[in-house]
Amino acid sequence: MDIAVIGLPQSGKTTVFNALTAGHSSSTGAGGAGPMQVGVVKVIDPRLAVLDGMYRPKKVVHPEIKYWDLPPIDREAASANQLLSGRQRNLLQAADALLIVVRAFEDDALLHPMGGVDPGRDAKAMLEELALADLEAMERAEARLDNELKKAKPAERPALVPQLETVQKVKAGLEEGIPMKSQTLTPSESAALADFQLLTGKPVVVAFNTGESETTPTLESLGISKDVSGGLGEVGLCAKLEEDLAVMEPDEADEFREAMGLDEPAVERVKSVCYATVGLVSFLTVGEDECRAWPVPAGIEAQMAAGTIHTDFTRGFIRAEVIAYEDLIRCGSLAQGRKEGVLRSEGKTYEVKDGDVINFLVNT
Ligand SMILES: Nc1nc2c(ncn2[C@@H]2O[C@H](COP(=O)(O)OP(=O)(O)O)[C@@H](O)[C@H]2O)c(=O)[nH]1
Ligand SMILES: [Mg+2]
C-alpha cells in the first residue's frame, strides 16, 4: 500500500514521514519534480510470530506500507494560493491513500504560512484542494467527451453518452463540495470513473500534528461537516517527539514512552487508522516455505482474494480451505482442525474474514 504524505508547507510532513519511517527511507526521482523520499515500513502482524513458531517456515512475510514525502511545491512556479502543484497532483493519483498532515502545534518561532495556527482551516483547505483538482479533471473530461460526441458516428454514441453523464454528475457533486467517495454512484458509474483516479475517491486520513502539550482536535470539534468528513480517518501524533523516539533503541524508546505516559507508537496508530480507513483485513497463508499476511479490501470474495497471491489464481480458483486463526492455534494443526470440523471448504463467493488462514486449491 502506497500512502502519500501531503499538507501545507511547514505543517510537519517531513517530520511525520521521518517519525513513521525511522530512517528506512530512500529517495527516488519523481518525474522531474525533484527527489521524492520513499520509506517502506513493515506492518508487523503479531499472528505471524505465533505461526512462525508452529511451522518454522523458511521465511515470514509481513505486509508493507510505503510512505511518500513529496518534493516540496516550487513556490516560484506556483500561484500564490496553490497548495499542491500540478506535478504533485499527478503523483497523488498513483497513491492508494493520502495522509494529510495538519499543523496543530503552537510554536511562536515558526510562522504559519496562512497566519495563525488553525487546524480546522488547514484541514478544510487541503480537502478543498483535492476537490478542486478533481473538478478540473472532470471539466477537462467533460470538454473532451462533448467534443467526441459531436464527431461520433451514431453507433459510437451509446458508449459515450453515459460516460459524459457520469462525469457531469460527479462534477456537479464536487461543485457542491461533496467528495467523490461521498457521492452515490452506481457500479457502472464507478467503473466509468476508475481511469480518472480522482483524489476525492481515495481514502484520506487527517493526521493532526500536535505539540507535546496540545490535545488532539477532531474533525467534528473543528466543525467540518459530515458531507466533507464522511469516510475520513483521523489520528493525532506529536511528530517531532515521535521523530526523536523513532531513531532510539526500542528499549530506550519504550522507557521514554512509559515515562511520558504515551500510548502506542505513532507508527502503529497511523497504520491502524490507515488500514481501517482504506478498509483492509488480512488473510494468512501458512506452510513450510512461507507464512504470510495478505492485506485485502474488507468484504472481498475468496476468488478475488486468491488473485492477490497470483493473478492466475483467480481464473484457476477451485475452492478455498479456510480455518480461523484462533481455531488453528487451538487445534495445533490443519489436520486436527479438519478432524474437529473447523477447517471448512469454501467456494468462490465466500467473504474472506480478517485472520482467516487459507489454502487455495487452484487449477493453473
Ligand atoms: N514545535 C514543533 N515543531 C514542529 C513539530 N513538527 C514539526 N515541527 C517543525 O516544523 C518545521 C517544519 O517541519 P517539516 O516537517 O519540515 O514540514 P514540511 O514542510 O511540512 O515538510 C520544522 O522546523 C520542524 O522541526 C511539532 O510537533 N512541534
Ligand atoms: Mg518537507
Side-chain angles (χ1 to χ4, degrees):
M1 178 162 61
D2 282 54
I3 301 180
V5 180
I6 60 175
L8 294 178
Q10 307 275 36
S11 55
K13 297 181 294 296
T14 300
T15 312
V16 166
F17 173 84
N18 290 340
L20 297 178
T21 60
H24 301 288
S25 67
S26 58
S27 60
T28 62
M36 174 165 84
Q37 291 291 121
V38 174
V40 179
V41 189
K42 277 198 169 44
V43 178
I44 300 298
D45 190 321
R47 296 172 293 202
L48 288 178
V50 180
L51 295 172
D52 185 21
M54 239 168 113
Y55 285 88
R56 298 267 151 232
K58 295 196 189 97
K59 61 177 178 180
V60 171
V61 183
H62 292 274
E64 289 174 346
I65 294 182
K66 220 185 260 175
Y67 289 103
W68 307 350
D69 190 12
L70 303 188
I73 190 165
D74 179 352
R75 277 285 139 219
E76 281 174 23
S79 60
N81 53 2
Q82 200 174 7
L83 307 181
L84 291 170
S85 69
R87 277 186 184 139
Q88 288 182 331
R89 291 174 177 186
N90 291 343
L91 287 173
L92 296 186
Q93 291 190 323
D96 298 307
L98 310 175
L99 185 71
I100 300 181
V101 177
V102 170
R103 173 171 172 180
F105 62 89
E106 294 287 347
D107 186 343
D108 294 338
L110 190 71
L111 287 181
H112 191 296
M114 290 173 105
V117 174
D118 183 345
R121 175 202 59 206
D122 295 358
K124 276 191 210 145
M126 286 307 300
L127 294 169
E128 277 166 19
E129 181 74 8
L130 301 180
L132 195 64
D134 286 354
L135 194 55
E136 284 174 15
M138 290 294 91
E139 279 166 357
R140 279 196 304 273
E142 186 184 27
R144 176 177 55 78
L145 286 164
D146 251 340
N147 202 19
E148 282 179 27
L149 207 53
K150 279 190 201 120
K151 295 188 212 149
K153 300 194 183 80
E156 294 164 347
R157 298 181 63 88
L160 289 171
V161 171
Q163 275 188 52
L164 179 61
E165 284 172 357
T166 303
V167 164
Q168 285 168 335
K169 174 176 166 178
V170 173
K171 186 181 138 215
L174 287 166
E175 277 164 348
E176 282 174 38
I178 305 171
M180 176 189 154
K181 53 174 183 308
S182 301
Q183 298 188 20
T184 317
L185 300 169
T186 65
S188 61
E189 286 171 335
S190 300
L193 290 166
D195 283 347
F196 293 108
Q197 296 184 297
L198 293 185
L199 302 181
T200 63
K202 290 186 188 293
V204 173
V205 173
V206 176
F208 292 107
N209 181 15
T210 61
E212 285 172 41
S213 48
E214 290 98 15
T215 53
T216 303
T218 62
L219 291 166
E220 198 181 353
S221 74
L222 296 172
I224 295 181
S225 79
K226 280 273 180 294
D227 264 353
V228 175
S229 70
L232 295 182
E234 51 187 312
V235 63
L237 74 160
C238 180
K240 206 168 177 182
L241 180 63
E242 293 281 350
E243 183 186 37
D244 293 340
L245 291 171
V247 293
M248 286 183 188
E249 293 299 323
D251 289 353
E252 202 187 346
D254 285 347
E255 267 175 45
F256 262 95
R257 277 182 202 288
E258 215 179 301
M260 303 190 69
L262 295 172
D263 40 342
E264 244 190 330
V267 59
E268 290 302 321
R269 278 182 295 126
V270 172
K271 179 234 114 189
S272 301
V273 174
C274 287
Y275 261 54
T277 308
V278 177
L280 293 178
V281 297
S282 291
F283 72 85
L284 308 160
T285 52
V286 296
E288 284 167 13
D289 279 340
E290 178 184 283
C291 287
R292 181 162 179 169
W294 304 81
V296 287
I300 195 172
E301 294 183 349
Q303 185 176 18
M304 295 311 291
T308 59
I309 296 180
H310 195 295
T311 44
D312 287 350
F313 282 17
T314 300
R315 196 170 31 82
F317 182 93
I318 301 169
R319 61 194 159 84
E321 293 184 315
V322 184
I323 182 170
Y325 167 79
E326 276 77 18
D327 287 336
L328 174 60
I329 300 308
R330 183 175 50 77
C331 295
S333 71
L334 292 173
Q336 184 62 25
R338 196 187 304 274
K339 254 188 215 157
E340 297 189 20
V342 285
L343 177 74
R344 302 109 51 202
S345 183
E346 301 281 4
K348 289 179 180 177
T349 59
Y350 168 73
E351 190 178 297
V352 172
K353 312 277 182 311
D354 186 59
D356 277 350
V357 179
I358 306 185
N359 178 32
F360 289 106
L361 300 175
V362 291
N363 187 354
T364 51

